[in-house]
Amino acid sequence: MTLPVWLLIALPLTGAAILLLAGKRSDPWGHLLGCAASLGSFAVGAALFTDMTTRPGEERAIHETLFSWVPVGELRVDFGLQLDQLSMCFVLLITGVGSLIHIYSIGYMAHDPGRRRFFGYLNLFLSAMLLLVLADNYLGLYMGWEGVGLASYLLIGFWQHKPSAATAAKKAFVVNRVGDIGLAVALMVMFASIGSISFQGVFTAAPQLGEGTLDAIGLLLLLAACGKSAQVPLQSWLGDAMEGPTPVSALIHAATMVTAGVYLIVRSGPVFDLAPGAQLGVVIVGAVTLLFGAIIGCAKDDIKKALAASTMSQIGYMVLAAGLGPAGYAVAIMHLLTHGFFKAGLFLGAGSVMHAMDDEVNMRHYGGLRTLLPITFATFGLGYLAIIGIPPLAGFFSKDGIIEAALGAGGAKGAILGTATILGAGITAFYMTRVMLMTFFGQPRWKDPGGGEAGGKATVTQPHESPKVMTWPMILLAVGSVASGALFAIGGTLAHWLQPVVGAHEAHHALPAW
């Protein structure tokens, strides 16, 4: 018997409701309930994935209509869910990586008086993100879109007693509202032009629409993606969002929410494929952002802000690939999934370093930590090797696929995009090596109040490795950073899996003239 799809959303939503409504009486066990809700949703996702693999490709999608949601005049929208190959990738990423970050947070937030509330917000975020990727229409997607925006605001400003955190949360909220206007207006244009806002209705009617209308819809969707995924020109909020607890950075600003824009573009592929103007806009935004974010990463001494700039750049790679149409959809999702492993691992590693350094974030006050934090060093190092594309780690396969797709665009376009992706990879290697060396190598640039390093600029207790509840999630993410790329790439596994949703693409190879 197949489990209901709505259970994926209901479990973390129930967890959030209990944790946020039960109050302080749930403080002793709130973190355990939060983890159980996330792990339960992952177990449901794994069961649905197993069931999906037993059916032929064209019969794998599951549709559930729960109730009539908006029966107003000509606008009739059912509250429906759609689990297909694309949304399944996100379900496993959101719940799998999300569960590891929940477990890590038990140790990271152990002494925080608001830990129960923190786990309630994490559960709320998971439920909203799952709704975003499981909705079968743009209105349901919009509801999840706003839900993750709310949860992000609550989590970035979790330590609202700090003026910097409160300001960062408001900045993220306001900048994202600009992008959200694009999504809202896109829905209006769809209804006015087509009379439907369901995925099936819009994609079926798209070939009958004029190119101008399709470009308008595509550009409005791109505006929404720029806000949520921190792409130029709406990228300014992401660096400041690092004021939230580090698990927030790992979950929302590395693995899930900031990739929602990529999901929106790939899901709306049938629209973008018929809108060359909008598709060109997507490619330009991705190319500019991947270089802009990489350059910013070179200038940051704050370890979390350096990783945030890296996230902006890596999502630029995904957006660029998605703008290449069927040639790039699968590699965009592949890089999204591999990035979820290695960037979440890098952020959790940064949190482990901060845990050891009394919450110091300035890398100029680190140095020589590799022997004191061996597990953090090893797991962070594997994430570092993955993101810079060292074979056979995950980033090599996914980033190489994007570079190949960019060069495959042909002509001047291919030359420009290929150059941008290769240059971005080189800059990524530079700033990530800088992060690695400043943090783990060289002489210690901190001092122990008991008489430690002379010339140290930050006074900390003796750095020590994080507890097992924090290191085990880092180890598992490091395993994903090593193995996921080959798993997705060998034999075109992921491309074949996604083919019923994003279509197939056959590379054009020049034939010898004999």
Side-chain angles (χ1 to χ4, degrees):
M1 179 180 176
T2 304
L3 294 171
V5 175
W6 59 261
L7 199 57
L8 288 165
I9 303 170
L11 287 173
L13 185 61
T14 302
I18 294 173
L19 292 174
L20 297 177
L21 296 177
K24 293 185 177 180
R25 72 191 75 177
S26 60
D27 281 353
W29 44 265
H31 57 288
L32 300 177
L33 176 61
C35 290
S38 178
L39 287 166
S41 188
F42 174 69
V44 173
L48 288 168
F49 171 73
T50 302
D51 178 69
M52 185 178 283
T53 58
T54 63
R55 300 196 300 271
E58 63 278 2
E59 298 177 7
R60 284 175 173 167
I62 301 173
H63 290 83
E64 289 182 3
T65 300
L66 302 183
F67 54 87
S68 180
W69 188 16
V70 186
V72 181
E74 296 180 4
L75 178 60
R76 306 189 66 84
V77 182
D78 292 329
F79 195 97
L81 302 177
Q82 171 181 295
L83 180 64
D84 57 17
Q85 290 88 332
L86 176 60
S87 52
M88 178 57 79
C89 291
F90 281 84
V91 165
L92 294 178
L93 176 69
I94 294 164
T95 59
V97 174
S99 294
L100 292 177
I101 293 171
H102 273 68
I103 295 169
Y104 175 96
S105 299
I106 293 176
Y108 192 86
M109 303 294 289
H111 304 294
D112 195 293
R115 181 168 68 165
R116 179 262 313 162
R117 178 167 53 91
F118 180 78
F119 276 87
Y121 292 161
L122 286 183
N123 274 193
L124 178 64
F125 170 80
L126 283 192
S127 61
M129 190 68 198
L130 287 167
L131 174 59
L132 191 159
V133 300
L134 289 171
D136 70 350
N137 62 80
Y138 282 99
L139 188 58
L141 183 151
Y142 184 78
M143 183 178 178
W145 195 269
E146 294 299 326
V148 295
L150 170 62
S152 177
Y153 169 78
L154 295 171
L155 286 164
I156 294 170
F158 182 75
W159 290 322
Q160 67 268 27
H161 59 276
K162 296 167 54 180
S164 57
T167 301
K170 287 185 286 187
K171 182 176 182 179
F173 193 83
V174 171
V175 173
N176 271 272
R177 295 296 72 72
V178 177
D180 294 352
I181 291 172
L183 183 54
V185 176
L187 266 65
M188 299 175 194
V189 175
M190 290 175 191
F191 178 66
S193 305
I194 300 169
S196 172
I197 54 174
S198 69
F199 294 151
Q200 184 177 1
V202 172
F203 300 159
T204 301
Q208 282 74 52
L209 295 179
E211 187 175 304
T213 301
L214 290 168
D215 277 334
I217 294 173
L219 290 172
L220 289 166
L221 295 176
L222 174 59
L223 177 62
C226 286
K228 199 66 74 183
S229 294
Q231 300 293 283
V232 171
L234 299 179
Q235 81 292 340
S236 61
W237 65 271
L238 188 61
D240 292 341
M242 298 302 107
E243 288 291 338
T246 300
V248 176
S249 303
L251 178 61
I252 296 181
H253 307 127
T256 55
M257 189 190 84
V258 290
T259 61
V262 181
Y263 170 79
L264 179 63
I265 295 171
V266 174
R267 174 62 75 188
S268 305
V271 173
F272 283 97
D273 292 343
L274 299 171
Q279 205 168 50
L280 178 61
V282 173
V283 169
I284 292 172
V285 166
V288 170
T289 307
L290 78 86
L291 292 174
F292 186 60
I295 292 169
I296 291 175
C298 296
K300 295 297 183 182
D301 292 332
D302 182 318
I303 187 171
K304 287 176 65 178
K305 289 189 176 181
L307 294 177
S310 172
T311 297
M312 185 195 313
S313 177
Q314 296 307 306
I315 295 175
Y317 272 98
M318 303 171 206
V319 170
L320 185 152
L324 297 173
Y329 291 144
V331 290
I333 298 301
M334 184 194 298
H335 196 51
L336 187 154
L337 296 174
T338 58
H339 179 265
F341 284 107
F342 58 70
K343 184 55 65 65
L346 288 169
F347 266 115
L348 295 189
S352 181
V353 171
M354 291 168 58
H355 178 79
M357 298 294 291
D358 293 346
D359 290 329
E360 174 64 58
V361 295
N362 190 338
M363 294 184 292
R364 294 188 181 276
H365 300 166
Y366 292 167
L369 294 176
R370 68 186 184 280
T371 56
L372 299 172
L373 311 177
I375 298 176
T376 301
F377 169 64
T379 56
F380 194 98
L382 289 172
Y384 154 72
L385 294 174
I387 195 174
I388 68 174
I390 298 297
L393 278 74
F396 165 75
F397 292 97
S398 56
K399 195 176 293 186
D400 189 63
I402 293 176
I403 294 172
E404 183 179 350
L407 292 170
K413 179 180 178 182
I416 293 171
L417 296 180
T419 300
T421 54
I422 294 171
L423 180 60
I427 300 175
T428 300
F430 170 77
Y431 70 73
M432 285 305 304
T433 299
R434 177 176 178 267
V435 169
M436 195 73 187
L437 293 177
M438 291 181 71
T439 302
F440 294 103
F441 293 88
Q443 294 300 314
R445 295 182 295 278
W446 42 270
K447 59 183 179 180
D448 191 311
E453 299 297 326
K457 298 180 180 179
T459 300
V460 299
T461 57
Q462 180 68 23
H464 56 280
E465 187 60 271
S466 298
K468 291 182 179 180
V469 73
M470 294 171 64
T471 56
W472 271 108
M474 292 158 55
I475 291 170
L476 292 176
L477 288 171
V479 172
S481 301
V482 172
S484 60
L487 179 66
F488 297 144
I490 291 177
T493 303
L494 185 64
H496 179 72
W497 171 260
L498 292 172
Q499 183 176 326
V501 181
V502 304
H505 173 71
E506 295 295 334
H508 299 286
H509 300 285
L511 296 176
W514 63 69

